[in-house]
Coordinates of all heavy atoms in Angstrom, one line a residue:
I989 N 0.9 -1.2 0.0 CA 0.0 0.0 0.0 C 0.9 1.2 0.0 O 1.7 1.4 0.9 CB -0.9 0.1 1.2 CG1 -1.6 -1.3 1.5 CG2 -1.9 1.2 1.1 CD1 -2.4 -1.4 2.8
D990 N 0.7 2.1 -1.0 CA 1.4 3.4 -1.1 C 0.4 4.4 -0.6 O -0.6 4.7 -1.4 CB 1.8 3.6 -2.5 CG 2.3 5.1 -2.7 OD1 2.8 5.7 -1.8 OD2 2.2 5.5 -3.9
V991 N 0.6 5.0 0.6 CA -0.3 6.0 1.1 C 0.4 7.3 0.8 O 1.5 7.6 1.3 CB -0.5 5.8 2.6 CG1 -1.6 6.8 3.1 CG2 -1.0 4.4 2.9
F992 N -0.3 8.2 0.0 CA 0.3 9.4 -0.5 C -0.7 10.6 -0.4 O -1.9 10.4 -0.1 CB 0.7 9.3 -2.0 CG -0.4 9.2 -2.9 CD1 -0.8 10.3 -3.6 CD2 -1.1 8.0 -3.2 CE1 -1.9 10.3 -4.5 CE2 -2.2 7.9 -4.0 CZ -2.6 9.1 -4.7
T993 N -0.2 11.8 -0.7 CA -1.1 12.9 -0.9 C -0.6 13.6 -2.1 O 0.5 13.5 -2.6 CB -1.0 13.9 0.3 OG1 0.3 14.5 0.4 CG2 -1.4 13.2 1.6
T994 N -1.5 14.4 -2.7 CA -1.2 15.0 -4.0 C -0.1 16.1 -3.8 O 0.6 16.5 -4.8 CB -2.4 15.7 -4.6 OG1 -3.0 16.6 -3.6 CG2 -3.4 14.6 -4.9
W995 N 0.0 16.7 -2.6 CA 1.0 17.8 -2.4 C 2.4 17.3 -1.9 O 3.3 18.1 -1.7 CB 0.4 18.8 -1.4 CG -0.1 18.2 -0.1 CD1 -1.4 17.9 0.1 CD2 0.6 17.7 1.0 NE1 -1.6 17.3 1.4 CE2 -0.3 17.2 1.9 CE3 2.0 17.7 1.4 CZ2 0.1 16.7 3.2 CZ3 2.4 17.2 2.6 CH2 1.4 16.6 3.5
C996 N 2.5 16.0 -1.7 CA 3.7 15.4 -1.0 C 4.8 15.2 -2.1 O 4.7 14.4 -3.0 CB 3.4 14.1 -0.4 SG 4.8 13.1 0.0
K997 N 5.9 16.0 -2.0 CA 7.0 16.0 -2.9 C 7.8 14.7 -2.8 O 8.1 14.1 -3.9 CB 7.9 17.2 -2.7 CG 9.1 17.2 -3.7 CD 9.9 18.5 -3.5 CE 11.0 18.6 -4.6 NZ 11.8 19.8 -4.5
P998 N 8.1 14.1 -1.6 CA 8.8 12.8 -1.6 C 7.9 11.7 -2.2 O 8.5 10.8 -2.7 CB 9.0 12.6 -0.1 CG 9.0 14.0 0.5 CD 8.0 14.8 -0.3
C999 N 6.6 11.8 -2.1 CA 5.7 10.8 -2.7 C 6.0 10.8 -4.2 O 6.1 9.7 -4.9 CB 4.3 11.1 -2.5 SG 3.8 11.1 -0.7
K1000 N 6.1 12.0 -4.8 CA 6.3 12.1 -6.3 C 7.7 11.6 -6.7 O 7.8 10.9 -7.7 CB 6.1 13.5 -6.7 CG 4.6 14.0 -6.5 CD 4.5 15.5 -6.9 CE 3.0 15.9 -6.6 NZ 2.9 17.4 -6.9
I1001 N 8.7 11.9 -5.8 CA 10.0 11.4 -6.1 C 10.1 9.9 -6.1 O 10.7 9.2 -6.9 CB 11.0 12.0 -5.1 CG1 11.1 13.5 -5.3 CG2 12.4 11.4 -5.3 CD1 12.0 14.2 -4.3
M1002 N 9.4 9.3 -5.0 CA 9.4 7.8 -4.9 C 8.7 7.2 -6.1 O 9.2 6.2 -6.7 CB 8.7 7.4 -3.6 CG 8.6 5.9 -3.4 SD 7.8 5.5 -1.8 CE 6.1 5.9 -2.1
A1003 N 7.6 7.8 -6.5 CA 6.9 7.3 -7.7 C 7.7 7.3 -9.0 O 7.7 6.4 -9.7 CB 5.6 8.1 -7.9
A1004 N 8.5 8.4 -9.1 CA 9.3 8.6 -10.3 C 10.5 7.7 -10.3 O 10.9 7.1 -11.4 CB 9.7 10.0 -10.5
E1005 N 11.1 7.5 -9.1 CA 12.3 6.7 -9.0 C 12.0 5.2 -8.8 O 12.3 4.3 -9.6 CB 13.2 7.2 -7.9 CG 13.8 8.6 -8.2 CD 14.7 9.1 -7.1 OE1 14.8 8.4 -6.0 OE2 15.3 10.2 -7.3
A1006 N 11.5 4.9 -7.6 CA 11.3 3.5 -7.2 C 10.4 2.7 -8.1 O 10.6 1.6 -8.5 CB 10.9 3.5 -5.7
F1007 N 9.2 3.3 -8.4 CA 8.2 2.6 -9.1 C 8.6 2.4 -10.6 O 7.9 1.7 -11.3 CB 6.8 3.3 -9.0 CG 6.3 3.4 -7.6 CD1 5.3 4.3 -7.2 CD2 6.8 2.5 -6.6 CE1 4.8 4.3 -5.9 CE2 6.3 2.5 -5.3 CZ 5.3 3.4 -5.0
N1008 N 9.6 3.1 -11.0 CA 10.1 2.9 -12.4 C 11.4 2.2 -12.5 O 11.9 2.0 -13.6 CB 10.2 4.3 -13.1 CG 8.9 4.9 -13.5 OD1 8.1 4.3 -14.2 ND2 8.6 6.1 -13.0
D1009 N 11.9 1.7 -11.3 CA 13.1 0.9 -11.3 C 12.7 -0.5 -11.8 O 11.8 -1.1 -11.3 CB 13.7 0.9 -9.9 CG 15.0 0.0 -9.8 OD1 16.0 0.6 -10.2 OD2 14.8 -1.2 -9.5
E1010 N 13.5 -1.0 -12.7 CA 13.2 -2.3 -13.3 C 13.1 -3.4 -12.3 O 12.2 -4.3 -12.3 CB 14.2 -2.6 -14.5 CG 13.8 -3.8 -15.3 CD 14.7 -4.0 -16.5 OE1 15.5 -3.1 -16.8 OE2 14.8 -5.1 -17.0
E1011 N 14.1 -3.5 -11.5 CA 14.2 -4.7 -10.5 C 13.1 -4.6 -9.5 O 12.4 -5.5 -9.1 CB 15.5 -4.7 -9.9 CG 15.7 -6.0 -9.0 CD 17.1 -6.2 -8.5 OE1 18.0 -5.3 -8.7 OE2 17.4 -7.2 -7.9
I1012 N 12.9 -3.3 -8.9 CA 11.8 -3.1 -8.0 C 10.4 -3.5 -8.6 O 9.6 -4.2 -8.0 CB 11.8 -1.7 -7.4 CG1 13.0 -1.5 -6.5 CG2 10.5 -1.3 -6.7 CD1 13.3 0.0 -6.1
A1013 N 10.2 -2.9 -9.8 CA 8.9 -3.2 -10.4 C 8.6 -4.7 -10.6 O 7.5 -5.2 -10.4 CB 8.8 -2.4 -11.7
E1014 N 9.7 -5.4 -11.0 CA 9.5 -6.8 -11.3 C 9.2 -7.6 -10.0 O 8.3 -8.4 -10.0 CB 10.8 -7.4 -12.0 CG 10.6 -8.8 -12.4 CD 11.8 -9.3 -13.3 OE1 12.9 -9.1 -12.8 OE2 11.6 -9.8 -14.4
L1015 N 9.9 -7.2 -8.9 CA 9.6 -7.9 -7.7 C 8.2 -7.6 -7.2 O 7.4 -8.5 -6.7 CB 10.6 -7.5 -6.6 CG 12.0 -8.0 -6.8 CD1 12.9 -7.4 -5.7 CD2 12.1 -9.5 -6.7
M1016 N 7.8 -6.3 -7.2 CA 6.5 -5.9 -6.8 C 5.4 -6.5 -7.6 O 4.3 -6.9 -7.1 CB 6.4 -4.4 -6.7 CG 7.3 -3.8 -5.7 SD 7.2 -1.9 -5.6 CE 5.5 -1.7 -5.1
N1017 N 5.6 -6.5 -8.9 CA 4.5 -7.1 -9.8 C 4.4 -8.6 -9.7 O 3.3 -9.2 -10.0 CB 4.8 -6.7 -11.3 CG 4.7 -5.2 -11.5 OD1 4.0 -4.5 -10.8 ND2 5.4 -4.7 -12.5
T1018 N 5.5 -9.3 -9.3 CA 5.5 -10.7 -9.2 C 4.9 -11.2 -7.9 O 4.1 -12.2 -7.8 CB 6.9 -11.3 -9.4 OG1 7.4 -10.9 -10.6 CG2 6.9 -12.8 -9.3
F1019 N 5.3 -10.5 -6.8 CA 5.0 -11.1 -5.4 C 4.0 -10.3 -4.6 O 3.5 -10.7 -3.6 CB 6.3 -11.2 -4.6 CG 7.3 -12.1 -5.2 CD1 8.4 -11.6 -5.8 CD2 7.1 -13.5 -5.2 CE1 9.4 -12.4 -6.4 CE2 8.1 -14.3 -5.8 CZ 9.2 -13.8 -6.4
L1020 N 3.6 -9.1 -5.1 CA 2.7 -8.3 -4.4 C 1.5 -7.8 -5.2 O 1.6 -7.7 -6.4 CB 3.4 -7.0 -3.9 CG 4.7 -7.2 -3.1 CD1 5.4 -5.9 -2.9 CD2 4.4 -7.8 -1.7
I1021 N 0.4 -7.6 -4.5 CA -0.7 -6.8 -5.1 C -0.6 -5.4 -4.7 O -0.6 -5.1 -3.5 CB -2.1 -7.4 -4.6 CG1 -2.2 -8.9 -4.9 CG2 -3.2 -6.6 -5.3 CD1 -2.1 -9.3 -6.4

């Protein structure tokens, strides 16, 4: 669960970096909903 707000800058950085990282995305898509 990613709990965010629209005004949160670190939330946007995390979304841009971590959620677009190939290895992270593959692990999350494989083992997590």
Side-chain angles (χ1 to χ4, degrees):
I989 311 170
D990 169 28
V991 186
F992 71 96
T993 65
T994 56
W995 48 262
C996 166
K997 186 175 180 180
C999 299
K1000 295 176 182 177
I1001 294 173
M1002 181 176 71
E1005 293 182 353
F1007 296 160
N1008 285 300
D1009 180 83
E1010 186 174 343
E1011 185 169 9
I1012 288 172
E1014 189 171 49
L1015 289 175
M1016 293 179 66
N1017 294 337
T1018 302
F1019 299 106
L1020 304 170
I1021 304 299

